[in-house]
Amino acid sequence: MERRQLQIIKSRIGELRAFIQVVHGPRQVGKSTLIHQFLKDYSSSHLSTSADDVPASDNHWINLQWDLARDRLIASASNEFLLIIDEIQKIDHWSEAIKSNWDFDTRNNINIKVILLGSSNLLLQKGLNESLAGRFELIYMGHWSFIEMHSVFNLSPEQYAWYGGYPGSAFLINDEIRWKNYIKDALIEPNISKDILSLHRVDKPALLRKVFELACAYSTQMLSYNKLLGQLDNAGNATTLAHYLKLLDNAGLVGGLEKFSPNLVRQKLSSPKYQVHNNALLSSQSNYSLEEAKQIPDFWGRVIESMIGSLLLNFSREHGTNLFYWRESNDEVDFVLQTRKITIAIEVKSGSAKYHKGLSKFTSKFTPDKTILISRDTLPWQEFIQLDLNSLFN
């Protein structure tokens, strides 16, 4: 399976040296596999290495890799060399070392092209913005879509809605208990322990884990931080919860959508609508199996809405759009997808519906460019998830 980011990498590395290419995104979505696929057809000299097991304080390690790349460039008698470093964010002050070496090569016309990979978006963005401004391009890799999971593993729409878009777990879906244990132990725990707790200051690790569990359980639901505090022991304050949710969001686990509003202050002060990045994070926390969940209409409807939300969230991260929800009194719209020029309102109903009051109210208030009612009577969710979401903006 070749994800679209592979062609982006091929195109950019084929250009003249101009920018560091930074591939980022959650764990277990195929970033390392992407590089392996790229290198199969890459004919020039290269060095591919990982900082995964390097002590965080060993900042000099980056310089050693770069010196090795320069030596190999000279030895190869080639006119260019490619240096690839995975999990770069695990090295303290990595961006300063990258900047120093990149600028040295630029001044001295040393043609070393660079690809960096990382799974902690918050640390990557901090380093890139502080030291590497104007020197990099971002390539985001999100969770797998239904089209990708169906193409490779032949998942049905119902299976995708429940088991989500982790390719490494697909062969376990016929054993529900084993699958859930894999999601918790091999995916969730490394995300929290390696990408959050070991890289960020977290004063209450147990609280962060509880916030994760509750946010997943409440995926697609709106809940203020104060109400969330009421369900937590030793919870601290709303600022702590918001910070922890931000860390979980940047790790590609679960975040909070803001309310759509032309007023930026109201938007920022709104209660978050919790949304998992991958529906496996919702279903793996559930006591139900897929077959049991399908027999509970209200719960299954929320599973479908959450799955649609995860697709839209990953699309928005990859393509630079914004994703919101909207609510006013008893009227609401599940998702509002927005670029600088286009606004699309999307309501999700797993059953029958030909009309939705919330969409009508939103339309009269904000005149969006497009409204979409996903329902059995209009556009079934099984068909929506097979769309190229870029087509929504046509």
Side-chain angles (χ1 to χ4, degrees), residues 61-124:
W61 178 84
I62 295 175
N63 296 329
L64 292 176
Q65 305 311 304
W66 219 294
D67 286 340
L68 180 57
R70 293 185 183 114
D71 290 342
R72 290 189 179 180
L73 172 60
I74 295 172
S76 68
S78 175
N79 62 354
E80 70 175 52
F81 192 90
L82 176 62
L83 174 61
I84 303 168
I85 305 179
D86 198 358
E87 296 295 347
I88 185 65
Q89 82 284 342
K90 295 193 173 183
I91 304 295
D92 292 341
H93 308 295
W94 63 270
S95 58
E96 290 92 334
I98 296 292
K99 176 180 182 294
S100 175
N101 283 283
W102 177 264
D103 288 354
F104 177 87
D105 288 352
T106 300
R107 289 193 302 270
N108 292 279
N109 295 315
I110 300 174
N111 193 17
I112 294 180
K113 300 177 180 180
V114 178
I115 300 175
L116 305 177
L117 295 88
S119 54
S120 177
N121 289 345
L122 195 61
L123 283 180
L124 278 175

Side-chain angles (χ1 to χ4, degrees), residues 105-367:
D105 288 352
T106 300
R107 289 193 302 270
N108 292 279
N109 295 315
I110 300 174
N111 193 17
I112 294 180
K113 300 177 180 180
V114 178
I115 300 175
L116 305 177
L117 295 88
S119 54
S120 177
N121 289 345
L122 195 61
L123 283 180
L124 278 175
Q125 290 286 0
K126 181 180 179 182
L128 294 171
N129 292 333
E130 288 180 352
S131 301
L132 293 170
R135 297 171 176 85
F136 69 91
E137 290 182 294
L138 289 173
I139 302 173
Y140 182 76
M141 288 190 68
H143 295 277
W144 284 37
S145 68
F146 167 72
I147 294 174
E148 291 170 320
M149 292 296 286
H150 176 73
S151 173
V152 179
F153 304 108
N154 199 33
L155 261 63
S156 69
E158 289 75 15
Q159 287 174 322
Y160 179 76
W162 187 250
Y163 298 113
Y166 283 120
S169 71
F171 73 101
L172 296 173
I173 64 174
N174 292 322
D175 186 336
E176 189 95 12
I177 295 176
R178 188 180 175 194
W179 175 80
K180 287 185 176 181
N181 287 335
Y182 176 84
I183 295 296
K184 294 174 183 177
D185 299 335
L187 294 178
I188 295 174
E189 181 55 33
N191 266 278
I192 291 178
S193 61
K194 291 187 176 183
D195 292 338
I196 299 179
L197 297 181
S198 66
L199 299 176
H200 303 274
R201 177 178 174 177
V202 176
D203 295 328
K204 298 180 179 181
L207 175 61
L208 181 137
R209 294 177 187 276
K210 191 63 178 177
V211 170
F212 166 75
E213 293 173 3
L214 285 175
C216 289
Y218 279 102
S219 185
T220 75
Q221 298 183 55
M222 287 158 277
L223 191 67
S224 70
Y225 291 120
N226 287 330
K227 289 184 178 179
L228 191 63
L229 282 169
Q231 301 193 38
L232 296 166
D233 297 324
N234 191 28
N237 54 49
T239 301
T240 300
L241 297 190
H243 173 59
Y244 287 176
L245 188 64
K246 182 67 174 178
L247 293 178
L248 293 165
D249 190 27
N250 277 285
L253 294 172
V254 60
L257 304 183
E258 296 176 341
K259 178 182 175 181
F260 178 85
S261 174
N263 186 313
L264 187 60
V265 174
R266 290 182 180 178
Q267 180 177 298
K268 296 297 181 183
L269 293 177
S270 63
S271 296
K273 175 176 178 174
Y274 300 101
Q275 177 61 58
V276 293
H277 287 245
N278 189 315
N279 237 31
L281 303 172
L282 166 62
S283 52
S284 65
Q285 309 293 313
S286 166
N287 293 323
Y288 301 123
S289 67
L290 169 59
E291 293 306 315
E292 290 169 338
K294 288 162 61 177
Q295 303 306 313
I296 308 171
D298 288 346
F299 180 69
W300 183 246
R302 193 159 67 82
V303 169
I304 299 304
E305 181 183 337
S306 179
M307 180 268 296
I308 297 293
S310 70
L311 285 176
L312 295 172
L313 181 57
N314 281 278
F315 176 84
S316 69
R317 295 292 170 87
E318 185 174 331
H319 295 274
T321 63
N322 295 310
L323 185 64
F324 306 97
Y325 75 92
W326 177 76
R327 184 172 187 177
E328 187 175 280
S329 299
N330 294 323
D331 299 314
E332 63 179 285
V333 172
D334 291 328
F335 304 106
V336 180
L337 193 60
Q338 187 181 53
T339 67
R340 285 178 295 176
K341 297 182 178 180
I342 298 176
T343 300
I344 303 172
I346 303 172
E347 179 66 22
V348 183
K349 299 294 181 185
S350 58
S352 297
K354 296 182 180 180
Y355 168 82
H356 187 260
K357 183 182 175 184
L359 279 178
S360 179
K361 184 69 174 289
F362 185 87
T363 299
S364 64
K365 191 175 181 69
F366 299 108
T367 60

Side-chain angles (χ1 to χ4, degrees), residues 375-393:
S375 77
R376 191 180 302 157
D377 300 312
T378 53
L379 175 62
W381 66 267
Q382 295 93 334
E383 294 182 17
F384 179 83
I385 64 176
Q386 298 184 55
L387 295 176
D388 176 356
L389 295 182
N390 284 296
S391 68
L392 300 181
F393 296 93

Side-chain angles (χ1 to χ4, degrees), residues 30-45:
K31 296 188 297 296
S32 298
T33 300
L34 177 84
I35 295 303
H36 292 318
Q37 291 175 330
F38 168 74
L39 291 177
K40 285 182 180 179
D41 299 322
Y42 186 71
S43 57
S44 298
S45 300

